[in-house]
Amino acid sequence: MAKHATPLLDELEKGPWPSFVTDMKRQAETHPECWDILGQLELSYKDKITHWKHGGIVGVFGYGGGIVGRYSDVPKRFPGVEHFHTVRIAQPSGLYYSTKNLRGLMDLWDKYGSGMTNMHGSTGDMIFLGTRTENLEPLFWDLTHNLEQDLGGSGSNLRTPSCCLGESRCEWACYDAQDVCHHLTMHYQDEIHRPAFPYKFKFKFSACPNDCVASIARSDFALIGTWKDDIRIDQAAVKEYIAGNYPANAGAHAGRDWGKFDIKKEVLDLCPTGCMWMEGGELKIDNAECTRCMHCINVMPRALKPGKEKGATVCIGAKAPILDGAQFATMVIPFLEVSKENEYENVIDVIEQVWDWWMEVGKNRERVGETMQRVGLPTFLRVMEVEALPQHVKEPRSNPYVFWREEEVEGGWQRDVEEFRRKHNA
Amino acid sequence: MGYDPNNPMEGRITDLGPRHYSEMLPPVIAANKGKWDYHEILAPGVLVHVAESGDKCFTVRVGSPRLISIEYIRELCDIADKYCKGYLRFTTRNNVEFMTDSKESCDALIADLKGRTTKFPIGGTGASITNIVHTQGWIHCHTPATDASGPVKAVMDDLFEYFGSMVLPAQVRIALACCLNMCGAVHASDIAILGIHRKPPMVDHGRITGVCEIPLAISACPLGAIKPAKAQVDGKEVKSVQVNAERCMFCGNCYTMCPAMPLADPDGDGIAILVGGKVSNSKSMPKFSKLVVPFLPNTPPRWPETVQVIRKIVEVYAKDARKYERIGEWAERIGWEKFFEKCDIPFTDKSIDDYRLAYDTWRTSTQFKFTKATAAYTSK
């Protein structure tokens, strides 16, 4: 029996898309606090403002993050959400689950929480949505002792890393994104659980430039798979596409009649560098001119494949607008080997080069992308011990306000005006 | 033995990290990892991956509201136990994927899912509108200017036909953030729904010194609109701040830092629409989304104004864009002036950038197209 009337939310039970309201009402049968979630949300729908108080600092001993505290501003009306903390649970790389593991986690949340979750938070964590302070330690105890897994990150630290599904189910993966993601998550447990940074820092791992985990937009450190040799072409398969026997783009446009596949129109003419052509019935690619954008491979997955010499490009500094405007990550290292053999030592070296510097010079609540802007890319490249390359810019600067370091200029900067006057009277 | 509050560090286990991903892989995935040959979309929401070994993995993708209950997840587990050897996964856009190694069990799975009304709608593949990446809204956050789950449900109901079909020129990524912290992907999505405020914060002088580190609130402002000030509370002088309303653009970052500067408002708050962002490198470089509709009101429970604008953009794009063209690529090819005209969106000065590097976004050229917008300058 509904504890509060929810006429506005009831409207969201209509329509074909699965309704969170219907789902929450079902859960309320065993977790009555869900009625209070609905009740308070209904009040927000009426008042058109949030009814959560500002902030909230809760957690478990030993960690400086992992749980987001939250309190209702109308606890008397909705006692079930007086405390409504969310617990971030570290998710397996690639978001695969066994039902055994998921059921274990759900039993845990059944015991200690509201019964509602987010699958998943934008950073990747499994989110347990809503519990009381006194439940946090017992929940953490059972999570670590019975399910042998851990919390995710929150605060000014390394947040929970995440990845695309990589080699597990994609023919385009240029490195094992799941394995790197897991390895570095384990390697940096201390940095995840105990905030030691000027601000938050995120890793994301996409195994090719399609960037299915949006690393270039949503991580301070983005590792994006690529290759440095030639795209592999199966000419027989190219002919099958031209003949219409294989669906273009793996059938992604099958719902509409776009006419017969036209390799010139759909591939050659859309190549951003124009480095492809047909010759004697064969597809040719001038790989030296290819920027590895993935378009031709996306359109003809059975005929074209990334090269065999695989690795990744390192891009650094993406962030949302606050404070100085949104940033995509900037390409810093064009190609890095990503090898399980050396336990990703070279990836770790790059990360720690960024951290050693940013932890010193980063201002309070300054994302690394903003620190890069403040000091300038040339300075950052020197920090990273990377040579300045034309690939680092979309275009060279157009203003002439160029800094030179004193040691770069013959004779240095210490000059005597008297000396100058001997040749040039005032 | 369980947690003992009198000996909190006793028996404590830390730094375990997540479970290893290899425990979670369906057998056909574990056996063929790194050895996939190609894939195909068999129908909306249904994929097959073919391994070098000849093994096949069939995947059925279903939409989910992201905010889901234990019971919902247990139902997913029941389905996975029945058809998928006890494994399933979630996508980076919060869809659910069931995988099987045979066509027969895939077909049985699909029939079962379809039998459960639209609780588990199949789709989200290829040139479709897939799930909306979104945030907490009024369900859990303290800084939102709009709700998340409600507008997402309203928009997905309206665009439902595009989730289970593949009729668009390219995939359309919609994202929602309930404030301009932009948790998630709003700054790089084809269509972005963004909660915005339009009134400066109030200053709670009675509380500010107790709850706020004032220099942090001052430095939280991107436009330097906050300065230290003295205020009178009950005849006593207290340290506080003053907000220069002329310089404030209502970002709310001071409230994030200082509980004594709330700014939420039922009439002031609402939604802005941005379009044309993308993340992938395919053809064009990644693009930021651009602001095309500066304000739509918060109209719970179904946000009809927002739903209507988004449908209009999707329909015009679907009709006008070329195959493989993302919304941003289309808008740039035809020119933003044509985008506004075709989508019938009134252009306002709010879409003209006036923040720091704004100049680079102004038109320093005589190349433009005459549209309805220039009519006043072309008629006699």
Side-chain angles (χ1 to χ4, degrees):
Chain A
M1 184 45 201
K3 202 171 137 194
H4 311 283
T6 53
L8 294 171
L9 288 173
D10 293 350
E11 287 296 314
L12 291 173
E13 294 200 77
K14 300 171 185 167
W17 187 251
S19 167
F20 69 97
V21 178
T22 306
D23 184 33
M24 215 183 300
K25 284 185 177 177
R26 176 168 72 154
Q27 190 63 52
E29 289 166 20
T30 55
H31 282 266
E33 59 266 49
C34 287
W35 289 124
D36 284 343
I37 309 175
L38 287 164
Q40 181 174 313
L41 188 61
E42 178 78 13
L43 184 65
S44 280
Y45 273 43
K46 224 162 79 189
D47 292 346
K48 299 198 249 184
I49 54 168
T50 187
H51 280 290
W52 300 106
K53 286 186 185 176
H54 185 281
I57 298 171
V58 294
V60 295
F61 284 114
Y63 288 180
I67 297 163
V68 181
R70 199 66 81 214
Y71 300 92
S72 170
D73 73 0
V74 277
K76 289 211 171 69
R77 280 173 76 178
F78 307 110
V81 294
E82 179 189 21
H83 294 204
F84 200 65
H85 314 319
T86 61
V87 184
R88 294 184 178 167
I89 307 287
Q91 83 289 0
S93 286
L95 302 173
Y96 288 87
Y97 289 97
S98 66
T99 54
K100 181 169 174 274
N101 180 250
L102 262 185
R103 288 184 196 278
L105 286 161
M106 291 310 110
D107 290 348
L108 179 73
W109 191 230
D110 208 349
K111 189 171 168 192
Y112 293 113
S114 71
M116 293 308 298
T117 75
N118 287 150
M119 299 292 278
H120 292 77
S122 294
T123 298
D125 309 88
M126 175 186 288
I127 307 286
F128 284 174
L129 193 73
T131 190
R132 298 187 60 85
T133 306
E134 57 270 25
N135 289 334
L136 297 175
E137 287 288 3
L139 183 153
F140 181 65
W141 179 279
D142 289 3
L143 178 71
T144 50
H145 286 77
N146 303 342
L147 297 172
E148 294 166 36
Q149 60 197 91
D150 208 337
L151 300 182
S154 69
S156 290
N157 59 350
L158 175 62
R159 299 294 184 85
T160 308
S162 62
C163 60
C164 70
L165 55 66
E167 292 183 348
S168 72
R169 206 195 64 202
C170 181
E171 65 270 26
W172 299 327
C174 295
Y175 70 88
D176 190 344
Q178 277 180 301
D179 200 65
V180 183
C181 185
H182 186 81
H183 185 86
L184 293 186
T185 302
M186 298 311 293
H187 188 77
Y188 290 122
Q189 281 291 295
D190 188 33
E191 286 77 2
I192 290 173
H193 294 305
R194 295 162 200 93
F197 293 166
Y199 203 10
K200 66 180 97 168
F201 195 99
K202 300 187 183 190
F203 294 165
K204 286 200 192 304
F205 304 95
S206 273
C208 90
N210 283 324
D211 202 353
C212 288
V213 75
S215 65
I216 204 160
R218 296 167 66 180
S219 61
D220 300 270
F221 181 87
L223 197 65
I224 303 175
T226 194
W227 63 95
K228 59 180 177 180
D229 55 343
D230 292 352
I231 290 176
R232 288 174 285 159
I233 310 178
D234 176 345
Q235 296 292 354
V238 173
K239 289 189 173 67
E240 296 290 347
Y241 277 103
I242 294 170
N245 297 329
Y246 292 162
N249 216 345
H253 295 79
R256 176 157 150 194
D257 182 7
W258 290 93
K260 191 173 178 288
F261 176 68
D262 180 342
I263 194 168
K264 180 170 185 313
K265 203 169 128 198
E266 299 187 34
V267 182
L268 310 187
D269 291 353
L270 293 182
C271 170
T273 65
C275 69
M276 308 178 79
W277 70 99
M278 294 298 294
E279 195 175 299
E282 293 211 326
L283 177 66
K284 303 283 181 188
I285 302 176
D286 182 356
N287 282 280
E289 299 297 321
C290 168
T291 50
R292 304 168 314 287
C293 82
M294 293 296 296
H295 176 68
C296 59
I297 295 173
N298 289 342
V299 175
M300 303 196 291
R302 294 182 73 164
L304 300 176
K305 291 191 165 34
K308 287 190 154 170
E309 291 175 34
K310 293 171 178 172
T313 300
V314 177
C315 298
I316 301 179
K319 58 177 283 291
I322 296 290
L323 259 180
D324 287 336
Q327 289 180 224
F328 283 118
T330 297
M331 200 289 288
V332 174
I333 300 176
F335 191 88
L336 194 68
E337 303 274 346
V338 183
S339 163
K340 196 173 183 155
E341 251 91 274
N342 63 10
E343 297 190 307
Y344 311 113
E345 201 177 7
N346 42 352
V347 180
I348 287 171
D349 286 347
V350 175
I351 289 165
E352 295 191 354
Q353 202 140 7
V354 179
W355 282 353
D356 286 347
W357 170 77
W358 177 61
M359 287 171 77
E360 282 290 310
V361 309
K363 293 184 182 177
N364 182 38
R365 287 176 68 86
E366 183 179 58
R367 292 287 285 267
V368 75
E370 288 166 327
T371 318
M372 287 164 68
Q373 285 239 34
R374 178 163 58 81
V375 304
L377 186 58
T379 303
F380 183 69
L381 294 175
R382 275 198 296 281
V383 168
M384 296 301 294
E385 297 174 61
V386 176
E387 206 182 314
L389 309 169
Q391 286 81 352
H392 284 130
V393 295
K394 280 183 198 148
E395 59 185 33
R397 71 193 299 156
S398 48
N399 68 64
Y401 304 156
V402 179
F403 290 103
W404 291 89
R405 289 190 303 287
E406 186 172 7
E407 64 271 23
E408 292 176 314
V409 186
E410 203 179 325
W413 292 347
Q414 298 310 312
R415 291 186 291 163
D416 180 0
V417 74
E418 297 296 326
E419 189 79 14
F420 180 75
R421 285 291 168 231
R422 255 172 244 150
K423 289 182 181 168
H424 187 84
N425 284 326
Chain B
M1 178 186 163
Y3 174 66
D4 175 6
N6 297 316
N7 293 297
M9 301 316 279
E10 185 78 28
R12 178 171 296 266
I13 301 175
T14 63
D15 301 288
L16 280 171
R19 300 291 303 195
H20 198 272
Y21 62 90
S22 62
E23 296 170 19
M24 308 289 181
L25 302 178
V28 65
I29 296 282
N32 294 287
K33 189 176 175 206
K35 290 175 269 181
W36 296 103
D37 187 22
Y38 68 93
H39 77 284
E40 214 167 292
I41 305 171
L42 300 175
V46 186
L47 302 153
V48 62
H49 286 78
V50 181
E52 287 161 6
S53 66
D55 284 356
K56 288 182 178 176
C57 173
F58 296 88
T59 300
V60 181
R61 184 176 295 168
V62 302
S64 138
R66 188 181 88 110
L67 169 60
I68 56 180
S69 68
I70 292 172
E71 289 310 316
Y72 180 101
I73 293 166
R74 285 176 176 153
E75 194 174 342
L76 295 176
C77 289
D78 291 342
I79 296 167
D81 283 340
K82 193 163 172 196
Y83 301 100
C84 309
K85 301 192 164 90
Y87 296 93
L88 73 162
R89 71 174 294 269
F90 292 80
T91 71
T92 56
R93 299 190 74 86
N94 310 311
N95 293 307
V96 182
E97 289 183 343
F98 296 105
M99 290 149 285
T100 78
D101 55 8
S102 83
K103 187 81 177 61
E104 293 70 40
S105 56
C106 177
D107 289 343
L109 166 65
I110 291 169
D112 184 328
L113 291 168
K114 284 184 174 164
R116 295 170 196 243
T117 64
T118 58
K119 199 172 1 170
F120 303 110
I122 299 170
T125 56
S128 67
I129 293 180
T130 186
N131 214 338
I132 300 182
V133 168
H134 64 276
T135 55
Q136 295 294 18
W138 294 330
I139 200 87
H140 193 258
C141 193
H142 58 156
T143 68
T146 189
D147 188 38
S149 306
V152 163
K153 161 77 174 148
V155 171
M156 284 310 288
D157 276 343
D158 186 65
L159 298 176
F160 191 69
E161 70 206 76
Y162 292 106
F163 180 78
S165 66
M166 302 188 291
V167 299
L168 295 168
Q171 69 271 35
V172 172
R173 304 295 189 221
I174 307 180
L176 176 147
C178 43
C179 82
L180 51 59
N181 277 328
M182 295 195 183
C183 301
V186 155
H187 62 306
S189 294
D190 293 279
I191 301 176
I193 306 165
L194 175 67
I196 57 148
H197 304 285
R198 293 183 304 160
K199 296 186 184 184
M202 298 162 275
V203 182
D204 191 344
H205 297 299
R207 286 171 50 81
I208 193 163
T209 40
V211 297
C212 226
E213 206 161 323
I214 288 175
L216 290 185
I218 292 168
S219 64
C221 182
L223 291 172
I226 305 172
K227 62 179 184 187
K230 303 263 194 269
Q232 296 289 323
V233 176
D234 300 331
K236 269 192 264 173
E237 195 178 79
V238 296
K239 282 185 188 168
S240 186
V241 297
Q242 191 187 334
V243 178
N244 179 350
E246 307 276 285
R247 292 186 80 163
C248 173
M249 46 64 185
F250 331 109
C251 73
N253 197 40
C254 53
Y255 180 60
T256 298
M257 299 308 294
C258 174
M261 300 181 73
L263 77 163
D265 188 273
D267 304 314
D269 296 353
I271 280 171
I273 304 289
L274 294 83
V275 306
K278 71 189 270 281
V279 165
S280 96
N281 288 276
S282 181
K283 302 190 303 299
S284 58
M285 290 186 195
K287 295 178 196 295
F288 287 121
S289 338
K290 281 100 180 156
L291 185 122
V292 295
V293 180
F295 181 77
L296 297 164
N298 271 330
T299 42
R302 296 205 74 98
W303 280 267
E305 300 84 355
T306 296
V307 166
Q308 197 191 334
V309 167
I310 292 173
R311 169 161 283 271
K312 178 81 183 178
I313 293 168
V314 168
E315 282 180 351
V316 174
Y317 157 75
K319 203 161 151 261
D320 202 64
R322 295 174 182 165
K323 194 177 179 186
Y324 305 111
E325 211 165 43
R326 297 284 292 267
I327 289 185
E329 294 168 333
W330 165 65
E332 285 177 14
R333 175 174 60 79
I334 63 175
W336 284 99
E337 64 269 44
K338 277 284 176 190
F339 171 89
F340 280 92
E341 185 175 62
K342 284 178 191 241
C343 293
D344 208 15
I345 296 172
F347 186 83
T348 74
D349 62 356
K350 306 290 185 289
S351 281
I352 301 178
D353 197 352
D354 52 6
Y355 181 69
R356 296 175 61 217
L357 306 171
Y359 165 80
D360 287 349
T361 66
W362 304 343
R363 189 164 314 207
T364 50
S365 164
T366 58
Q367 293 188 17
F368 62 85
K369 295 175 181 174
F370 292 108
T371 65
K372 284 188 296 201
T374 50
Y377 301 88
T378 51
S379 58
K380 278 186 191 165

